[in-house]
Amino acid sequence: MRLHALVADLETARLAVEGGATIVQWRLKDVPRVDVVERGRATRSLCARHGVPFIVNDDVEAALMLGADGVHLGRADAGAEQARDHGLMLGLSATTLAEARDADGRADYIGAGPVWATPSKADAAPPIGLGGLRELCAAVSTPVVAIGGIDPDNAADCIRAGAAGVAVIRSARAAAALVRALDAAL
């Protein structure tokens, strides 16, 4: 759970896995489900060969079609019950304390953020900062994974604020540096 690499291509997934990512999240935005599944097969296979859990972003049906280990659902995404019914690992997003409390106990982990501003998500909520992350972590018993603007220079700060791990998009290819930073925080 320490390092979630959110990827949209096989090469980034390979670099992330080789660098020590503990979860790979397949994240293709605004792409038809058939393409998510077709393009995700090789990444699913890579993760299976390396024993790294494979999570699909936003789409329970695609996760089931790919034989994924889990699904991560955003605040507006449906399917939490279906994911649970099928035994999928479930991640839920939270930006506010109320959302985190609502997800507590219903998810295997809570994706909290954005911690810092990020260009990876155009419709992202305002950053919660380390103080907001600390508050969310203290308010729930479910492990929290920090996301948003995280890189090797600030990843350890998220762990020190109480997060169980971090999720990265732009820094997914820098997994080895992230792992070193996370190890230093422990």
Side-chain angles (χ1 to χ4, degrees):
M1 182 119 3
R2 281 185 357 148
L3 178 56
H4 291 232
L6 282 65
V7 304
D9 63 87
L10 179 60
E11 181 61 13
T12 301
R14 184 186 65 75
L15 291 169
V17 167
E18 289 175 357
T22 54
I23 290 182
V24 169
Q25 185 171 322
W26 190 237
R27 182 183 188 262
L28 298 179
K29 290 295 195 177
D30 303 318
V31 174
R33 179 178 292 144
V34 66
D35 292 334
V36 170
V37 172
E38 185 62 33
R39 291 167 52 189
R41 286 190 176 119
T43 301
R44 171 64 179 123
S45 179
L46 168 84
C47 291
R49 285 193 313 273
H50 289 275
V52 175
F54 178 73
I55 307 281
V56 173
N57 197 66
D58 295 342
D59 189 337
V60 176
E61 290 297 327
L64 293 171
M65 293 167 105
L66 280 163
D69 300 295
V71 64
H72 183 91
L73 300 176
R75 297 181 328 261
D77 296 326
E81 294 287 328
Q82 182 183 13
R84 282 295 190 207
D85 289 347
H86 287 279
L88 294 176
M89 177 189 301
L90 177 62
L92 296 174
S93 294
T95 297
T96 67
L97 193 55
E99 290 169 350
R101 285 182 174 141
D102 183 58
D104 194 21
R106 296 188 318 120
D108 294 294
Y109 69 90
I110 298 169
V115 178
W116 293 284
T118 175
S120 300
K121 188 171 182 179
D123 63 345
I128 63 172
L130 286 173
L133 177 62
R134 189 174 291 107
E135 184 179 21
L136 288 177
C137 292
V140 298
S141 59
T142 301
V144 172
V145 176
I147 188 166
I150 297 169
D151 60 35
D153 293 329
N154 60 25
D157 295 331
C158 296
I159 301 303
R160 288 186 201 106
V166 298
V168 297
I169 299 172
R170 290 175 299 126
S171 295
R173 289 176 173 250
L178 283 157
V179 167
R180 285 191 298 276
L182 295 171
D183 286 346
L186 299 175

